């Protein structure tokens, strides 16, 4: 793996974790900022072809719920089955706003409403 690829995936993990924490604590300004930065990093990962890398795949089992949520979302087109397992598990977490996001993501993907 290229060093820049490794760094950009680490940044993706950091930002997705930050996003998840901000959502769970109700800090919409922090969440919106993290989201904007995360989407820019995602575009870089996508442009480099790093979505299929082992390093990105490992994010599906990251300790951070926010990271697992976003990695599974962005991995849907690569492996629906793996992503579905992660999103379903996240969707079963009680009293968690990210659980709602996970359920909604799966529902919208099944309807064909997500463009990644």
């Amino acid at each position: 793996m290229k060093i820049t690829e490794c760094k950009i995936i680490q940044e993706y993990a950091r930002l997705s974790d930050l996003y998840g924490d901000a959502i769970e604590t109700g800090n919409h300004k922090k969440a919106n900022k993290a989201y904007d930065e995360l989407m820019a990093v995602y575009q870089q990962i996508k442009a480099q072809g790093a979505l299929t890398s082992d390093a990105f795949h490992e994010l599906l089992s990251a300790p951070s719920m926010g990271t697992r949520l976003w990695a599974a979302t962005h991995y849907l087109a690569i492996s629906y089955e793996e992503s579905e397992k992660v999103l379903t598990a996240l969707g079963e977490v009680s009293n968690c706003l990210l659980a709602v996001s996970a359920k909604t993501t799966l529902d919208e993907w099944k309807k064909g409403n997500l463009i990644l």
Side-chain angles (χ1 to χ4, degrees):
M1 175 179 10
K2 298 176 243 172
I3 291 174
T4 55
E5 184 177 294
C6 182
K7 285 184 180 181
I8 201 77
I9 290 172
Q10 288 173 345
E11 182 65 359
Y12 179 97
R14 184 187 74 78
L15 290 167
S16 56
D17 179 49
L18 184 66
Y19 172 86
D21 288 347
I23 289 294
E24 289 302 318
T25 59
N27 189 334
H28 70 279
K29 288 183 182 182
K30 191 174 177 182
N32 289 342
K33 184 174 189 259
Y35 173 83
D36 290 342
E37 292 176 16
L38 179 64
M39 291 306 105
V41 169
Y42 166 66
Q43 291 303 322
Q44 291 176 25
I45 289 171
K46 195 172 163 183
Q48 290 181 11
L51 282 174
T52 57
S53 71
D54 290 341
F56 191 86
H57 183 264
E58 289 173 11
L59 297 179
L60 295 173
S61 58
S64 163
M65 287 182 64
T67 299
R68 290 195 313 273
L69 171 69
W70 280 111
T73 299
H74 290 139
Y75 209 71
L76 277 164
I78 294 163
S79 176
Y80 173 76
E81 294 78 19
E82 284 184 276
S83 296
E84 179 184 37
K85 286 178 189 176
V86 173
L87 292 169
T88 298
L90 288 172
E92 294 172 352
V93 176
S94 299
N95 300 318
C96 177
L97 292 173
L98 293 178
V100 175
S101 293
K103 289 177 187 176
T104 302
T105 297
L106 268 180
D107 289 345
E108 292 303 309
W109 177 261
K110 290 175 184 176
K111 292 177 188 175
N113 293 335
L114 290 184
I115 299 171
L116 305 169

